[in-house]
Amino acid sequence: MSDKTPTAEELKNLVGEYLYDIWTHLTEFIDERYDTEHLWNSGGKKWNYEYKYRRGGKTLCSLYAKEKCIGFMVIFGKDERLKFEADKTDYSKKTQAVYDEAQTYHDGKWLMFSPKDTTEFHDYLKLLAIKRKPDRKN
């Protein structure tokens, strides 16, 4: 875990005000539906920060931040991939492309999105629902 959780101002300065607003909307969107722990970590080699949603030792999703960029990641195991593939046409072309181009590792298929607006949020929620049913309906 990171020694330092970024302040709202530090995060806004890093990603820019517009993407900070997208980040804030996305975290609110997830928080309205899921009761999880929130963990800040270093973002590894590619990102400055990782903001992970976890419950019971399982990660639901992670958000990432670096200069002028944010990321939203969901990792699907085999069963989750089968569920997605069964309903693939119900997702936007953009979400389908991210899925098709995502690398599959030993621990799952890593879907990384780079939100630029809120238009894909509905797809994100459907992806999260594959991982775990929402705790709350909104």
Side-chain angles (χ1 to χ4, degrees):
M1 193 154 133
S2 176
D3 292 343
K4 188 168 188 276
T5 299
T7 65
E9 198 62 33
E10 288 170 332
L11 195 56
K12 189 185 293 186
N13 289 337
L14 178 66
V15 301
E17 192 163 344
Y18 179 78
L19 287 178
Y20 178 76
D21 288 344
I22 302 301
W23 175 286
T24 302
H25 280 90
L26 184 53
T27 58
E28 289 170 355
F29 208 60
I30 297 167
D31 289 339
E32 286 172 357
R33 291 158 180 85
Y34 290 93
D35 181 24
T36 61
E37 292 177 75
H38 303 131
L39 304 171
W40 282 102
N41 294 301
S42 74
K45 293 178 182 176
K46 295 183 179 182
W47 300 90
N48 292 50
Y49 298 105
E50 174 190 57
Y51 186 63
K52 190 178 286 191
Y53 285 84
R54 287 180 65 93
R55 182 163 160 195
K58 292 190 173 188
T59 299
L60 177 66
C61 65
S62 298
L63 276 66
Y64 293 88
K66 64 181 177 182
E67 191 169 342
K68 306 294 182 228
C69 186
I70 62 174
F72 170 76
M73 180 183 279
V74 177
I75 300 173
F76 278 173
K78 184 179 179 181
D79 292 342
E80 295 156 339
R81 292 195 311 269
L82 292 174
K83 287 179 188 177
F84 176 84
E85 290 167 7
D87 296 325
K88 189 174 178 180
T89 58
D90 293 343
Y91 292 84
S92 71
K93 295 289 183 200
K94 187 174 179 181
T95 298
Q96 291 180 46
V98 168
Y99 181 86
D100 290 341
E101 295 164 13
Q103 180 73 37
T104 302
Y105 297 96
H106 72 282
D107 59 348
K109 191 167 186 83
W110 294 30
L111 310 179
M112 176 61 89
F113 298 87
S114 298
K116 304 282 190 262
D117 55 40
T118 61
T119 57
E120 302 296 319
F121 283 14
H122 182 70
D123 276 4
Y124 297 171
L125 277 188
K126 290 192 316 187
L127 295 172
L128 293 177
I130 289 174
K131 290 202 59 88
R132 194 173 94 222
K133 288 188 181 359
D135 301 312
R136 300 180 279 278
K137 301 270 187 211
N138 281 25

